[in-house]
Amino acid sequence: MSEQKQAEQHVVIVGAGMAGVQTAVALRERGFTGPVTLIGAEPHQPYDRPPLSKAVLLGKAEGSAFEIDFEELGVELRLGLDVTGLRADDHEIDTEAGPVGYDVLVVATGAQPITLPGTEGVPGVHLLRTLDDAVRLGPVLERRHSVVVVGAGWIGAEFATAAREAGCAVTVVEAADRPLAGALPAEVTTPMAEWYGENGAELLTHARVRTVEPGTPGTVVLDDGRELPADAVVVGIGAVPATGWLTGSGIALDPGGAVTADERLRTSLPDVYAVGDCASFPSARYGRRLLVHHWDNALQGPRTVAATITGAGGDADSGPYDPVPYFWSEQFGRFVQYAGHHADADELVRRGDPAEKTWSVLWLRAGVPVALLAVGRPRDLAQGRRLIEAATAVDPVRAADPSVPLKAAVA
């Protein structure tokens, strides 16, 4: 894109989380000179989310605002502003403060947590998605209240970890037969169930919540009639793309509500892109469309969007967007990392004993690594991720020896 053309282009980014902020930064890094407007629904200065379930929650940090001077960057911030619709024919979005025109639109509205049916507005029931959520939950931990966590997924485990660190009595209620049932296979997650008890948290599996009765304390009633006293209930049962505002816009969404972007993160509408938790993309590497609700995707995707908007070429960001998904989680004194996508693997290789403090698991397809989970073995993660990116086959026997570096297990 010529400099004159850029100067005439107004890029509007809806969503002021990691994906939206990094899109603005990446545009300026690529020399984009046109006006950029960043719209966020929350009134707070844009901030990073991972510290919410850790440092902010435990009172070790007041916030996690990005260290970015938006004024110096030449980015107009419009915060505390809900966007209600998109009219692509008019190149306008609708907001509470009136319409906003755009030449290029980037949808970066992320995901919103799923609420527990029947608990909306019930005192003492919390979600953990925003800075305000973390601020409300801080005093619960300070007072060492009894806490019931609904859902033993990533966010449930992280909150339970923080609550135990703060001295709270913690019970985790999970409808499935084990933690992380929707994310990882049983042979990997079954050993993780032991982490809860080892750290003083009670994990109840095959347990569904019938209702939450408010009170001091409140009561969580399970389907089987058991009653759990709770000063606070924290719900972590997943998230869905925050795309309700796009209803009626004509933009293509999948059945789960994610924007179906292409390999350059372009949507079905002209001049509209989508990035981060709200968008799926086609992965040639894995032969399927991926929806990745993790921080690294929100960091990497904006580079591709910025490269496409500016017409840049000749570097890695100008090709198809097809990363090796990556995320991490800190739970119960363990650093858990995952890279790749294991759904189509045909072989699982264990490195170490899951009963120990550190171990990892490697998934192979036709001898080639496609995913890796590392618990306290960051070197395995780093080397495994490179093998996945390069599609380098390994010797399963050598790869199963935890004393052999993965890079030395190449077939």
Side-chain angles (χ1 to χ4, degrees), residues 30-401:
R30 289 189 170 276
F32 182 78
T33 57
V36 175
T37 300
L38 182 64
I39 299 176
E42 294 182 56
H44 310 290
Q45 192 76 2
Y47 62 88
D48 203 6
R49 292 192 189 278
L52 296 185
S53 61
K54 306 175 186 73
V56 175
L57 195 59
L58 290 167
K60 297 177 181 178
E62 291 185 2
S64 55
F66 293 111
E67 294 182 1
I68 295 170
D69 188 331
F70 290 97
E71 186 174 348
E72 185 178 329
L73 203 60
V75 172
E76 179 190 10
L77 284 182
R78 299 191 65 180
L79 303 176
L81 183 62
D82 276 325
V83 177
T84 57
L86 164 61
R87 290 175 287 108
D89 288 345
D90 298 326
H91 268 57
E92 284 185 343
I93 56 172
D94 291 316
T95 79
E96 295 173 314
V100 177
Y102 67 85
D103 295 301
V104 177
L105 178 67
V106 181
V107 178
T109 40
Q112 59 195 29
I114 299 170
T115 57
L116 191 64
T119 63
E120 292 89 345
V122 175
V125 178
H126 304 264
L127 299 169
L128 180 52
R129 179 70 182 176
T130 68
L131 180 59
D132 288 339
D133 292 335
V135 168
R136 279 190 290 268
L137 279 164
V140 171
L141 270 59
E142 285 176 17
R143 291 195 289 268
R144 300 185 178 182
H145 280 174
S146 62
V147 178
V148 170
V149 180
V150 183
W154 300 111
I155 194 67
E158 290 191 358
F159 180 81
T161 298
R164 284 300 301 140
E165 186 176 331
C168 297
V170 177
T171 302
V172 181
V173 176
E174 170 55 52
D177 60 348
R178 54 195 167 83
L180 296 169
L184 295 166
E187 59 264 45
V188 176
T189 59
T190 298
M192 295 177 174
E194 303 299 322
W195 299 355
Y196 289 76
E198 290 171 4
N199 288 271
E202 184 177 12
L203 173 63
L204 304 180
T205 56
H206 298 288
R208 292 184 177 276
V209 175
R210 179 191 300 165
T211 186
V212 178
E213 298 174 353
T216 310
T219 304
V220 176
V221 183
L222 304 184
D223 271 355
D224 61 9
R226 280 180 290 179
E227 296 185 353
L228 309 174
D231 294 303
V233 179
V234 178
V235 178
I237 55 175
V240 293
T243 54
W245 66 282
L246 294 169
T247 301
S249 68
I251 199 168
L253 305 175
D254 69 17
V259 179
T260 52
D262 70 5
E263 77 284 351
R264 302 286 305 151
L265 300 180
R266 295 170 293 216
T267 75
S268 62
L269 297 177
D271 304 316
V272 181
Y273 297 77
V275 66
D277 292 6
C278 66
S280 68
F281 58 90
S283 171
R285 184 191 308 278
Y286 292 106
R288 63 173 63 200
R289 184 167 282 276
L290 298 181
L291 175 62
V292 181
H293 279 187
H294 293 294
W295 184 91
D296 192 63
N297 178 50
L299 177 67
Q300 292 198 57
R303 299 169 187 157
T304 294
V305 171
T308 309
I309 291 172
T310 58
D315 60 29
D317 295 330
S318 62
Y321 183 64
D322 196 6
V324 172
Y326 167 74
F327 67 89
W328 78 96
S329 176
E330 296 177 57
Q331 46 187 277
F332 303 116
R334 293 166 172 87
F335 186 46
V336 183
Q337 296 171 283
Y338 177 91
H341 184 74
H342 66 270
D344 297 321
D346 54 33
E347 185 175 1
L348 185 148
V349 177
R350 292 190 181 279
R351 288 172 58 79
D353 184 352
E356 301 296 328
K357 196 77 171 177
T358 66
W359 49 277
S360 59
V361 171
L362 186 66
W363 285 270
L364 308 179
R365 186 174 62 221
V368 175
V370 292
L372 182 135
L373 176 85
V375 178
R377 291 181 67 97
R379 184 175 297 176
D380 276 8
L381 190 288
Q383 294 182 11
R385 190 177 185 181
R386 286 193 286 270
L387 294 175
I388 296 167
E389 289 171 344
T392 303
V394 298
D395 175 352
V397 175
R398 286 182 60 75
D401 185 344

